[in-house]
Amino acid sequence: MKVSLVVAVYKDIEALSLIVESLKTQTYKNFELIVAEDNNGEKIREFVSKIKDIEVIHTSQEDNGIRKSRSQNNAILAATGEYIIFIDGDCIPYSTFIESHALLAKQGLALAGRRVNLGPEYSTKIRTGKISALELERSYVLKLPSLWKDCSEGHIEAGIFLKPHNAVFQKWIFPRSSSIVGCNFSCFKSDLIAINGFDESYGETSLPDDTDIEWRLKALGLQVKSCKFAANQFHLYHTRSSRDYSGSQYENDMLARKSKGMFKAQLGLDTHN
């Protein structure tokens, strides 16, 4: 099965280069990288043109505010894989990341993973090359005490790796229903087309990233299962900007559509030329 890995990118070439480095160590080989740029920058275009040994597609658009959902829809339309994984441009996948998603993929399912929120010390070490993501992955358990001390955002346990067919994972993790976070989830491309992709009508909020697309995939008939501990990744530390939607008209619109079962995106794939 061919997999398309969609990376949502905005200007951070340094993090993108670390992702590309990780992709060269993937245990699963039949994949393409789609750099979904929410911008149209010369620097990213030049960087992508120099990527070697990985099949890569670059999509871009004008920098007109936060339009991550539109950028991801660009990527869905460009994807040649039958299965699509979504991550953010500041998340570095484990070497087993794509393989874990692919092994657990099944019709009727969407997979929801998590991320290790690295603190500033380890994020700087990775960005400056003092330690590679692969080295940290392989020594993760030994470094747990120092990782715990550095981390201020939790989820350090999410870096502990279990093979997808491990008995503990199959009995205690995979059967669980889960919730989608936009930085680590996957499903078949056909399911994304069936719901008309991400809904771009929610402005710059984070609604389309996870909350909205989760209920729409479920309304289509999919179950969301956990791939935590199998499909692992590191999130590089940074200050956060709010894309809160709580109590907004956007949230009310989503709830109204949900109550009516309107699971096809109002502004989605079918609006792209």
Side-chain angles (χ1 to χ4, degrees), residues 6-270:
V6 174
V7 183
V9 174
Y10 181 73
K11 293 187 178 181
D12 193 345
I13 295 178
E14 184 176 76
L16 179 58
S17 68
L18 293 169
I19 292 171
V20 170
E21 181 181 317
S22 168
L23 295 182
K24 291 180 179 180
T25 69
Q26 289 296 304
T27 54
Y28 193 89
K29 303 302 181 183
N30 190 18
F31 73 92
E32 65 185 4
L33 163 65
I34 304 182
V35 178
E37 185 186 6
D38 185 10
N39 188 24
N40 190 19
E42 179 61 35
K43 290 184 179 179
I44 292 284
R45 187 160 49 251
E46 182 180 349
F47 174 81
V48 170
S49 70
K50 295 178 180 178
I51 295 175
K52 306 295 183 184
D53 304 321
I54 296 175
E55 184 180 346
V56 60
I57 296 171
H58 177 212
T59 62
S60 63
Q61 60 193 19
E62 292 303 312
D63 186 358
N64 187 20
I66 299 172
R67 296 191 298 162
K68 180 183 177 183
S69 55
R70 181 172 180 80
S71 180
Q72 289 175 307
N73 279 341
N74 293 336
I76 293 170
L77 292 170
T80 66
E82 63 181 289
Y83 196 76
I84 303 182
I85 306 170
F86 296 92
I87 70 171
D88 285 348
D90 53 9
C91 292
I92 307 174
Y94 274 33
S95 62
T96 50
F97 182 81
I98 295 177
E99 181 179 25
S100 292
H101 273 280
L103 286 174
L104 294 170
K106 185 179 178 181
Q107 293 288 349
L109 293 185
L111 300 175
R114 293 298 183 263
R115 66 189 190 183
V116 177
N117 288 318
L118 296 178
E121 180 182 339
Y122 269 95
S123 296
T124 299
K125 284 181 178 180
I126 288 179
R127 282 187 179 271
T128 58
K130 291 183 178 178
I131 187 171
S132 71
L134 184 61
E135 290 171 331
L136 185 55
E137 169 192 335
R138 290 174 172 172
S139 60
Y140 193 80
V141 174
L142 293 175
K143 294 185 181 298
L144 270 174
S146 59
L147 284 160
W148 188 274
K149 184 178 179 181
D150 181 44
C151 175
S152 60
E153 298 179 319
H155 302 297
I156 288 300
E157 82 289 343
I160 297 170
F161 175 67
L162 296 175
K163 292 182 179 180
H165 296 309
N166 174 280
V168 173
F169 178 84
Q170 285 291 324
K171 183 175 182 179
W172 299 107
I173 308 300
F174 191 52
R176 296 179 184 175
S177 295
S178 188
S179 58
I180 287 176
V181 291
C183 66
N184 186 355
F185 81 97
S186 65
C187 63
F188 283 92
K189 179 178 178 178
S190 57
D191 293 323
L192 293 164
I193 292 172
I195 64 169
N196 200 24
F198 291 87
D199 198 324
E200 303 166 24
S201 68
Y202 294 113
E204 296 190 355
T205 71
S206 60
L207 258 175
D209 298 11
D210 36 48
T211 306
D212 179 68
I213 202 161
E214 177 185 318
W215 84 258
R216 292 192 295 116
L217 286 170
K218 286 181 176 179
L220 181 66
L222 271 64
Q223 292 181 293
V224 179
K225 293 294 186 181
S226 176
C227 59
K228 183 179 181 181
F229 301 116
N232 298 352
Q233 59 179 354
F234 296 117
H235 173 249
L236 299 171
Y237 177 84
H238 60 83
T239 56
R240 297 182 183 274
S241 58
S242 176
R243 295 171 65 203
D244 185 37
Y245 55 80
S246 180
S248 68
Q249 185 58 48
Y250 290 125
E251 183 179 39
N252 293 336
D253 290 345
M254 183 197 72
L255 293 174
R257 293 171 196 172
K258 186 175 181 179
S259 69
K260 297 174 182 177
M262 299 168 59
F263 63 80
K264 289 195 174 184
Q266 178 172 296
L267 189 63
L269 296 174
D270 61 0

